[in-house]
Amino acid sequence: MASSSISTFPASQTSLTILILGSGGREHALAYKLAQSKRVSKVLVAPGNGGTAIMGGKVTNVLEKWGGSTGYESIAQWAREQGVDLVVPGPEQPLVDGAEVVFRKAGIPVFGPSPAAALLEGSKSLSKAFMARNSIPTASFRSFTSDQYTQASEYIQSNPFTSGRCVIKASGLAAGKGVLIPESTDEAIEALKSVMLDREFGDAGDEVVVEEYLTGPEISVLAFCDGYSVVPLPAAQDHKRIGDGDVGPNTGGMGAYAPAPVATPDIMERVMKESLEPTLKGMREEGHPFVGMLFTGFILTSDGPKVLEYNVRFGDPETQALMLLLSDETDLAEVMLACVERRLDSVKLAYRDGHAVSVVLASQGYPGKYPKGIPMSIPPMPEGVQVFHAGTAIKGDTGVTDGGRVLAVCAFAPSLRQAVDMAYSGVELVEFEGKTFRRDIAYRALAAEPAPLTSTASSSSIPQRPVTGLTYASAGVSVENGNSLVDNIKPIVKATRRPGADASIGGFGGAFDLSAAGYSDPILVSGTDGVGTKLRVALEYGKHDTVGIDLVAMSVNDLIVQGAEPLYFLDYFACSALDIQVAQDVITGIATGCLESGCALIGGETAEMPGMYHGDDYDLAGFAVGAVERSQLLPRTDIVAGDYLIGLPSDGLHSNGFSLVRKIVSLAGLTYDSPTPWSEDVPLGESLLRPTRLYIKPLLPGIKSGLFKGMSHITGGGFTENIPRIFSDPALQGLGVEIDLRTWTLDPVWKWLMSAGNVAPLEMARTFNCGVGMVIVVGANEVDAALQSLTEGGERAFVMGKVTDKSGVQYVGMDTWSV
């Protein structure tokens, strides 16, 4: 009888069937990467989307229902009959609902945590308490149940946090919308009421977390976990808000990039040692080992990285970018199986050397109401560019939109700048009506990229009687520095691109295509302005990164009062000798202002003029052009006595009255390094250089819907000089306004100026904005709709007066301004 021996273990299964639950861009990206695995024979996506429907090969959409009243038993039984070897839930809901238990009982492992472990995302109150027990760095907090509204309100009013601000979080799942960030105690109480009493987020608000507001850049760290080991993917940065410059409502995410430059090796080491490893250890010790994808949001504070929240699944749109970073040798199916089999330390997880970017294309109206069924055209993409579908479907032979976030155009390249450019080249090829996207994905990282500075010889090294021909440099002008500045700011400027403008610089002029911007019968409106003597504060305090925002705001806010959407902006920077860092700080601020107002920075002039300017002095001027459809031009001529005035708050002084402010500061014996007399948290220079508020995006919806009759930007001249400009048309002669000064509370800065400078209330009203940066005229029957539109745009609007049949500005309640 022959003997037999076994010298090796049985070979691993090589015909795996994987079931993905979900229909978004994240699920398409996972199917894309899983299908590359040599071990996988089928990738089933339930229900999938238009993208997974046309992938072919190993990937197939299935119509088996799951979740909600259907539950998971029927799809688990179906999966067992189909021979499914692994289930990968995309969204968090099936994990919180307990899908992992149902599939496990059917004999099918799930890449995801148990329902108890999924409560790290399902309950913010539970996750914060878990962090506290396990000494994981996070914001200070307290939790309150639905019957503790009074206690929660008293806690907020006690001003418990050193930052002076708090964040209100609905504890349960709220589709990513349950976090409110009020700016004041009054707003915080209102936010608490909306969650706990008004039930804005339904049952998710049965418990509320009140935590300290933290500041710093945010990163997303997605990490594979097997209950014992944790292996993070490169840190990513997401862009949550709908508008360029991070303005407007929150969304599910409008784009992402990875690796995030702010996530340095030191930062990532602290993330691992202080947060991720203690999280896995704590979950294991509390009896709920975490298996699957742990997606942790961090904020990088001055005290180090702190956890904002946990998620228990892949992120969207981070996943779309991260899948492009995984190396060809990394088998995602093998990594997932290693996690569920508790052997993550045995598999290879490697990344490509480069950067990946995702840009989300959304439906018009998102994150509000949006249409569906819009036909799409997606031609072949350039090499290195990949399109992942999200809200799409196949109707006949045509791909159509079927959701708010429609597609993610992604790219991988050796550098971040190349990846961004490639992604946007793909964005330009995709066509569907109402295509909405951010044009500034990764703009912060691009703006922070170092560029070589060119040093120049000192003037003393130039011979008084040159033996060689004179050069421009010998006259004190450095062409090389000018060229270096242009090179340094090109990525900053490029981030401001919008339809109609390519936002490139370096040529003789900038062009704008009005038809590409969507106008049919436009009127062009232009404006120019400067920053005034606020520049002297910037020069003496040595802070130059906000005056560029002021420059943009002073011009574009003057355009919007005529109903015009700012289209493009040009700047003029003049100095004695070009300091590249100062100029770059200024122009970065200009680009930031353009991003926040939705206009393209298409050109400018940097003038180095020794003899005209002296020392470190520089001056700024800006020129903006906007467009308005003829029918929406403001002010309208139907303004009548009895119409109402709505005010929008300012962010302090903005950029007017600084000659008087500087005089008061001098008479008070203060310097710009002195503590701010009305708020000692920051130096006076920081307070005075707070930039002018940009009102463009909150106002555009009301303009386009015809809610507003006229507007006034409150700059130099205060209310007294600026509001009467609304009535300059002959048809409006004889009209004026009555302002009730009791309708808002003067901030401490205004009271200090009045007191320290002995400035009369009437002088305040005709010099400063006094806390109101924009005044809007609306008809009596449109007040509620106008206030709602402005509130939805993030403004704290309020009624402040009425139009009268007496010209000029009349003030009511001026006695309340006495100090």
Side-chain angles (χ1 to χ4, degrees):
M1 183 175 178
S3 63
S4 63
S5 64
I6 299 176
S7 59
T8 60
F9 292 106
S12 299
Q13 184 178 346
T14 57
S15 58
L16 297 171
T17 298
I18 296 180
L19 171 63
I20 300 175
L21 302 180
S23 61
R26 160 185 49 209
E27 288 75 37
H28 188 181
L30 291 173
Y32 164 84
K33 189 61 182 176
L34 286 168
Q36 297 173 14
S37 169
K38 295 178 180 179
R39 294 193 58 187
V40 173
S41 61
K42 294 181 183 178
V43 179
L44 309 176
V45 192
N49 56 41
T52 51
I54 61 176
M55 283 183 72
K58 300 178 182 179
V59 181
T60 306
N61 282 359
V62 296
L63 299 180
E64 293 296 319
K65 294 183 178 180
W66 52 267
S69 59
T70 302
Y72 299 91
E73 282 76 9
S74 61
I75 194 171
Q77 179 60 34
W78 176 87
R80 186 174 182 179
E81 293 169 358
Q82 298 298 314
V84 170
D85 299 291
L86 178 68
V87 175
V88 182
E92 67 275 7
Q93 195 67 56
L95 294 166
V96 174
D97 287 347
E100 187 270 343
V101 173
V102 177
F103 281 103
R104 178 158 42 87
K105 286 181 178 179
I108 305 172
V110 173
F111 179 75
S114 67
L119 287 175
L120 279 180
E121 179 170 0
S123 171
K124 292 182 176 64
S125 179
L126 178 147
S127 67
K128 293 289 288 190
F130 170 81
M131 287 182 245
R133 287 195 303 272
N134 290 277
S135 301
I136 295 167
T138 189
S140 302
F141 75 100
R142 275 189 60 182
S143 297
F144 300 90
T145 55
S146 56
D147 61 347
Q148 294 178 308
Y149 173 76
T150 301
Q151 295 95 313
S153 179
E154 291 173 350
Y155 180 67
I156 291 171
Q157 290 173 327
S158 71
N159 193 23
F161 304 123
T162 56
S163 67
R165 292 179 62 184
C166 66
V167 177
I168 311 296
K169 294 182 175 181
S171 181
L173 296 178
K177 300 177 181 178
V179 178
L180 303 177
I181 307 177
E183 295 186 3
S184 66
T185 299
D186 288 344
E187 287 187 19
I189 295 298
E190 187 61 33
L192 185 74
K193 177 177 177 294
S194 71
V195 177
M196 298 189 81
L197 301 185
D198 300 339
R199 312 290 291 172
E200 180 177 352
F201 305 114
D203 293 343
D206 284 346
E207 194 168 9
V208 168
V209 174
V210 180
E211 70 177 37
E212 184 171 14
Y213 174 80
L214 302 176
T215 58
E218 297 181 23
I219 59 173
S220 301
V221 179
L222 282 68
F224 290 98
C225 304
D226 68 356
Y228 298 89
S229 302
V230 54
V231 180
L233 289 158
Q237 281 194 317
D238 186 13
H239 297 63
K240 282 293 184 187
R241 293 189 181 271
I242 187 69
D244 293 344
D246 296 312
V247 298
N250 271 330
T251 71
M254 294 301 294
Y257 61 98
V262 294
T264 62
D266 288 343
I267 289 292
M268 291 304 293
E269 182 176 1
R270 292 190 65 175
V271 162
M272 283 288 290
K273 298 299 182 185
E274 298 173 10
S275 297
L276 299 187
E277 290 176 354
T279 296
L280 248 65
K281 182 174 182 289
M283 291 297 290
R284 194 167 60 249
E285 290 176 347
E286 296 193 16
H288 306 290
F290 189 92
V291 175
M293 176 56 61
L294 181 64
F295 166 15
T296 310
F298 289 91
I299 186 164
L300 307 183
T301 73
S302 57
D303 296 325
K306 293 188 177 184
V307 174
L308 290 173
E309 63 178 1
Y310 292 119
N311 297 286
V312 297
R313 36 67 191 181
F314 284 94
D316 187 337
E318 293 93 343
T319 300
Q320 290 91 312
L322 290 169
M323 290 302 102
L324 299 188
L325 280 183
L326 290 178
S327 70
D328 294 338
E329 294 77 26
T330 297
D331 188 320
L332 182 60
E334 180 62 44
V335 175
M336 289 180 170
L337 284 171
C339 287
V340 301
E341 294 169 1
R342 309 300 198 272
R343 54 179 183 83
L344 180 58
D345 60 354
S346 69
V347 296
K348 182 178 181 179
L349 188 59
Y351 319 109
R352 301 163 76 185
D353 185 14
H355 292 75
V357 172
S358 65
V359 180
V360 170
L361 308 187
S363 296
Q364 187 172 17
Y366 177 79
K369 294 181 179 178
Y370 50 83
K372 294 184 179 181
I374 306 298
M376 304 179 301
S377 171
I378 309 174
M381 291 288 116
E383 184 178 356
V385 179
Q386 180 71 38
V387 177
F388 294 118
H389 290 233
T392 69
I394 303 299
K395 190 173 183 179
D397 294 329
T398 304
V400 298
T401 66
D402 195 44
R405 291 188 295 169
V406 178
L407 304 165
V409 181
C410 307
F412 170 84
S415 73
L416 179 58
R417 183 176 289 107
Q418 289 174 299
V420 168
D421 289 344
M422 288 170 60
Y424 278 107
S425 71
V427 167
E428 292 172 3
L429 295 175
V430 176
E431 295 182 0
F432 62 88
E433 185 179 349
K435 181 176 71 174
T436 300
F437 60 96
R438 282 186 58 161
R439 299 166 180 85
D440 64 343
I441 301 303
Y443 76 93
R444 284 195 175 92
L446 291 176
E449 281 189 351
L453 303 184
T454 304
S455 61
T456 58
S458 65
S459 58
S460 61
S461 66
I462 302 173
Q464 292 187 2
R465 297 180 62 85
V467 295
T468 58
L470 289 173
T471 66
Y472 209 8
S474 70
V477 179
S478 173
V479 176
E480 289 81 6
N481 275 3
N483 292 336
S484 293
L485 175 63
V486 170
D487 289 340
N488 290 2
I489 65 176
K490 277 184 177 179
I492 306 166
V493 172
K494 195 164 189 177
T496 70
R497 57 187 159 194
R498 55 156 297 156
D502 61 9
S504 63
I505 58 170
F508 287 103
F512 194 95
D513 183 352
L514 277 172
S515 63
Y519 286 91
S520 58
D521 184 22
I523 292 177
L524 290 179
V525 181
S526 59
T528 185
D529 213 330
V531 181
T533 58
K534 189 173 186 178
L535 282 181
R536 179 52 56 189
V537 179
L539 284 161
E540 294 183 15
Y541 184 61
K543 178 180 171 65
H544 307 278
D545 57 350
T546 59
V547 290
I549 301 175
D550 289 303
L551 183 68
V552 176
M554 294 300 286
S555 292
V556 299
N557 284 343
D558 283 349
L559 299 185
I560 198 70
V561 300
Q562 296 176 79
E565 176 189 9
L567 300 178
Y568 60 85
F569 189 86
L570 299 99
D571 67 270
Y572 177 78
F573 179 95
C575 60
S576 173
L578 184 61
D579 183 320
I580 295 180
Q581 189 58 58
V582 169
Q584 186 169 326
D585 286 349
V586 171
I587 296 170
T588 298
I590 293 172
T592 299
C594 288
L595 283 167
E596 291 183 13
S597 55
C599 66
L601 178 55
I602 66 170
E605 169 71 6
T606 301
E608 196 173 4
M609 298 187 291
M612 285 291 293
Y613 296 91
H614 302 282
D616 295 330
D617 286 357
Y618 64 86
D619 198 8
L620 289 175
F623 181 78
V625 173
V628 56
E629 296 290 0
R630 191 179 303 274
S631 61
Q632 296 172 344
L633 186 66
L634 298 178
R636 289 168 18 194
T637 56
D638 62 343
I639 299 175
V640 296
D643 286 343
Y644 281 80
L645 302 182
I646 291 177
L648 302 185
S650 69
D651 283 342
L653 292 161
H654 285 184
S655 297
N656 59 283
F658 268 81
S659 294
L660 178 55
V661 171
R662 289 169 50 241
K663 188 172 185 65
I664 294 173
V665 168
S666 177
L667 291 173
L670 300 173
T671 69
Y672 298 125
D673 291 315
S674 301
T676 300
W678 57 88
S679 172
E680 296 188 359
D681 293 340
V682 296
L684 178 58
E686 292 282 346
S687 295
L688 295 180
L689 290 171
R690 191 175 182 183
T692 304
R693 191 168 188 170
L694 288 148
Y695 295 98
I696 310 307
K697 294 187 178 179
L699 290 173
L700 281 174
I703 292 170
K704 294 183 183 301
S705 58
L707 290 174
F708 308 148
K709 291 186 174 185
M711 287 186 281
S712 175
H713 180 206
I714 309 304
T715 57
F719 305 125
T720 306
E721 301 295 333
N722 285 293
I723 293 180
R725 298 183 185 183
I726 298 174
F727 311 111
S728 58
D729 190 287
L732 303 174
Q733 291 297 311
L735 294 179
V737 299
E738 178 183 275
I739 298 177
D740 188 345
L741 303 179
R742 300 167 298 186
T743 56
W744 76 96
T745 302
L746 278 181
D747 288 336
V749 58
W750 310 113
K751 295 180 179 179
W752 182 82
L753 289 170
M754 291 174 68
S755 175
N758 194 25
V759 183
L762 185 59
E763 183 67 18
M764 293 289 294
R766 68 183 183 191
T767 303
F768 300 109
N769 67 61
C770 296
V772 180
M774 187 69 68
V775 175
I776 308 167
V777 179
V778 299
N781 60 340
E782 300 283 5
V783 172
D784 290 342
L787 290 173
Q788 180 179 347
S789 174
L790 293 164
T791 300
E792 289 173 353
E795 284 292 340
R796 294 175 287 122
F798 60 95
V799 175
M800 60 179 291
K802 287 187 176 182
V803 176
T804 69
D805 56 8
K806 183 178 180 180
S807 61
V809 180
Q810 310 300 316
Y811 297 100
V812 175
M814 187 160 276
D815 57 309
T816 63
W817 278 16
S818 300
V819 292

